């Protein structure tokens, strides 16, 4: 984090200089433009024949001199900015390692099967991000064949998300009604929040939408038991419709962050119905790599200094355990904290009297060694 802070400080200096340079440039150029316009206005008003040629010559010479000085000044300051930009690059080189191949296994993508998996992962990420044309081009160039049944959910998801970003709730509402039972099984409140947001959009239209809002309130009936308090607040806001909701105690209903929230809720629940994680595997892997890379670089340096070349074999395991935080925990298989191996049907997890859980193999080894008299976990 300290390295990132150093680069960020240099970057802030560059951005500050860019802003100052922009303001100063606009001021000087506006000043020159006004001067030129005044000279032009005088020539139009009095004419060249009536004007004193010596005075006109001096005025034009002074104007040209000002323009030249301004151009030179702006060019000089622009050159100074280039120096600041180069400092950012130097700060990056100074604080980060450009060569990371030492911690990457050279044979990780050496087989066609692994390359195919990588291409499919990238294509799925592009579909999730709505970059459909880029995904299609990648499929053609890499030879990856994606079944239409895999594409279709992402196409529909991106279509609905794009409509939500344009504050159009109808596609999302149609999808939520179609998948109502599956959403209820997930204990999801997506459909209610969509109806709530549509009702609020009617309220923002003023007294002219009063009757339509009252009629639309019938959509809240299936959710009366779970969201009684929210429905009461929505119906109470109708009292202030004539004076405007923004001037009432219910003005919080008009907060704009609700649209970003509904996009996140829809993405989460839609991915849950599709059996997918909210974030793509590629983005999760990339974020995990960014957290793990500094640790791996440090341990690699220590191994080289102490000449412990046999510690890291570049196989499927890492030489040390790296904490990626609970956000990156996706394992549904229990791993024994003693033997450091995942449990299975033949080696199931076993709960001790103290509440800790270990594998049966670990339990048998501890029992045979007589070490269960006191829990050391």
């Amino acid at each position: 984090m300290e390295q990132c802070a150093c680069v960020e400080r240099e970057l802030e200096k560059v951005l500050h200089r860019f802003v100052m340079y922009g303001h100063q440039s606009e001021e000087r150029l506006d000043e020159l433009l006004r001067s030129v316009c005044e000279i032009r206005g005088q020539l139009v008003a009095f004419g060249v024949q009536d004007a004193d040629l010596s005075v006109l010559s001096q005025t034009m010479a002074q104007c040209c001199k000002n323009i030249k000085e301004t151009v030179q000044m702006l060019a000089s300051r622009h050159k100074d900015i280039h120096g600041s930009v180069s400092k950012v690059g130097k700060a990056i080189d100074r604080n980060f390692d450009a060569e990371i191949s030492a911690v990457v296994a050279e044979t990780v993508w050496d087989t066609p099967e692994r390359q195919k998996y990588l291409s499919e992962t990238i294509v799925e990420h592009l579909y999730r991000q709505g970059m459909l044309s880029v995904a299609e081009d990648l499929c053609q160039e890499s030879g990856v064949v994606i079944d239409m049944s895999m594409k279709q959910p992402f196409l529909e998801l991106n279509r609905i998300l794009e409509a939500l970003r344009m504050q159009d709730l109808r596609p999302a509402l149609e999808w939520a009604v179609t998948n109502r039972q599956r959403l209820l099984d997930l204990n999801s409140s997506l459909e209610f929040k969509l109806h709530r947001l549509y009702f609020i959009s009617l309220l923002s239209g003023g007294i002219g939408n009063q009757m339509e809002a009252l009629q639309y309130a019938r959509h809240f009936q299936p959710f009366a038991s779970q969201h009684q308090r929210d429905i009461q607040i929505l119906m109470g806001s109708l009292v202030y419709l004539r004076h405007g909701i923004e001037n009432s105690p219910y003005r919080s209903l008009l907060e704009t962050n609700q649209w970003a929230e509904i996009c996140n809720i829809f993405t989460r629940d839609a991915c849950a119905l599709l059996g997918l994680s909210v974030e793509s595997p590629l983005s999760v892997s990339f974020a995990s790599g960014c957290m793990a890379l500094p640790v791996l670089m440090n341990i690699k340096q220590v191994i080289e200094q102490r000449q412990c070349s046999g510690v890291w074999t570049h196989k499927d395991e890492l030489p040390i355990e790296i904490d990626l935080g609970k956000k990156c925990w996706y394992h549904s298989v229990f791993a024994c904290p003693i033997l450091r191996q995942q449990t299975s049907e033949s080696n199931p997890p076993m709960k001790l009297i103290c509440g800790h859980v270990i594998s049966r193999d670990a339990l048998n080894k501890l029992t045979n060694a007589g070490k269960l008299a006191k829990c050391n976990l």
Side-chain angles (χ1 to χ4, degrees):
M1 292 304 295
E2 183 179 352
Q3 291 86 346
C4 293
C6 292
V7 176
E8 187 176 5
R9 284 194 294 269
E10 294 294 336
L11 186 59
E12 288 177 353
K13 292 179 182 178
V14 174
L15 294 176
H16 177 71
R17 288 198 174 189
F18 266 114
V19 172
M20 295 301 296
Y21 177 78
H23 291 329
Q24 292 172 357
S25 300
E26 290 180 2
E27 291 176 359
R28 293 301 296 269
L29 292 175
D30 289 341
E31 183 179 346
L32 286 176
L33 183 60
R34 286 194 298 269
S35 177
V36 173
C37 289
E38 289 177 2
I39 295 174
R40 183 176 180 276
Q42 292 176 5
L43 292 174
V44 172
F46 300 105
V48 178
Q49 296 179 354
D50 298 334
D52 188 344
L53 294 180
S54 62
V55 176
L56 178 61
S57 176
Q58 293 177 0
T59 303
M60 294 296 293
Q62 184 63 37
C63 181
C64 292
K65 181 181 178 182
N66 292 338
I67 293 175
K68 185 177 180 179
E69 290 177 352
T70 300
V71 172
Q72 291 177 348
M73 182 270 293
L74 295 179
S76 176
R77 292 183 177 178
H78 190 271
K79 187 180 296 185
D80 293 338
I81 294 178
H82 281 282
S84 301
V85 174
S86 65
K87 289 183 180 179
V88 176
K90 293 178 181 177
I92 293 175
D93 295 337
R94 186 171 59 253
N95 290 282
F96 295 96
D97 293 315
E99 180 58 45
I100 61 172
S101 59
V103 297
V104 179
E106 297 179 356
T107 60
V108 65
W109 306 116
D110 58 347
T111 63
E113 184 180 10
R114 291 181 176 181
Q115 294 176 7
K116 177 176 175 289
Y117 289 151
L118 177 62
S119 298
E120 290 177 348
T121 303
I122 296 174
V123 169
E124 179 185 338
H125 176 79
L126 293 173
Y127 278 133
R128 282 171 172 261
Q129 299 299 316
M131 302 177 182
L132 307 180
S133 60
V134 181
E136 294 295 335
D137 291 342
L138 179 58
C139 288
Q140 293 179 2
E141 295 182 9
S142 63
V144 173
V145 179
I146 303 296
D147 189 76
M148 191 62 193
S149 60
M150 176 183 175
K151 295 182 187 178
Q152 190 59 40
F154 294 116
L155 296 176
E156 185 179 15
L157 188 148
N158 281 285
R159 177 182 63 84
I160 297 174
L161 278 176
E162 187 63 28
L164 287 176
R165 294 188 185 103
M166 300 296 293
Q167 299 190 1
D168 181 7
L169 291 165
R170 296 186 184 278
L173 280 169
E174 292 174 0
W175 182 89
V177 171
T178 303
N179 297 276
R180 175 178 294 174
Q181 187 56 49
R182 298 175 65 191
L183 290 172
L184 290 176
D185 294 340
L186 291 175
N187 197 25
S188 169
S189 60
L190 175 62
E191 185 180 354
F192 169 75
K193 291 189 175 182
L194 287 170
H195 285 304
R196 176 182 179 275
L197 197 53
Y198 191 88
F199 185 84
I200 292 173
S201 66
L202 293 176
L203 295 179
S204 61
I207 192 65
N209 294 336
Q210 183 176 16
M211 291 305 301
E212 185 179 358
L214 286 171
Q215 293 176 357
Y216 193 83
R218 298 174 181 175
H219 290 89
F220 295 138
Q221 184 176 358
F223 312 100
S225 58
Q226 297 91 344
H227 303 280
Q228 181 179 0
R229 178 58 180 167
D230 289 333
I231 296 174
Q232 290 174 345
I233 293 174
L234 292 173
M235 300 310 296
S237 64
L238 291 172
V239 178
Y240 297 90
L241 198 58
R242 184 177 300 277
H243 301 286
I245 301 299
E246 64 278 4
N247 302 317
S248 72
Y250 297 91
R251 55 182 174 272
S252 60
L253 294 176
L254 304 179
E255 292 179 353
T256 56
N257 60 356
Q258 296 178 100
W259 290 99
E261 180 186 358
I262 201 67
C263 288
N264 293 334
I265 294 174
F266 172 78
T267 302
R268 181 195 65 199
D269 292 349
C271 288
L273 291 187
L274 294 173
L276 302 171
S277 59
V278 177
E279 298 183 17
S280 70
L282 182 63
S283 62
V284 173
S285 300
F286 180 79
S288 301
C290 290
M291 290 187 286
L293 186 58
V295 182
L296 295 178
M297 295 294 292
N298 290 336
I299 192 64
K300 183 67 176 180
Q301 185 177 4
V302 172
I303 290 174
E304 292 176 349
Q305 290 175 351
R306 299 186 179 182
Q307 298 180 352
C308 304
S309 57
V311 175
W312 198 345
T313 60
H314 279 305
K315 293 182 179 180
D316 292 336
E317 76 279 354
L318 294 175
I320 57 173
E321 183 177 354
I322 298 176
D323 184 14
L324 299 178
K326 291 186 177 181
K327 186 178 180 180
C328 294
W329 286 6
Y330 293 93
H331 293 285
S332 58
V333 179
F334 174 75
C336 177
I338 295 179
L339 298 182
R340 302 288 182 178
Q341 63 184 15
Q342 292 183 350
T343 56
S344 60
E345 292 184 0
S346 59
N347 181 29
M350 307 293 289
K351 184 178 181 180
L352 305 180
I353 297 177
C354 57
H356 292 105
V357 179
I358 61 176
S359 65
R360 186 164 65 184
D361 288 349
L363 178 62
N364 292 335
K365 290 183 178 181
L366 291 173
T367 303
N368 295 334
K371 294 183 179 180
L372 276 180
K374 181 179 179 181
C375 178
N376 295 320
L377 293 176

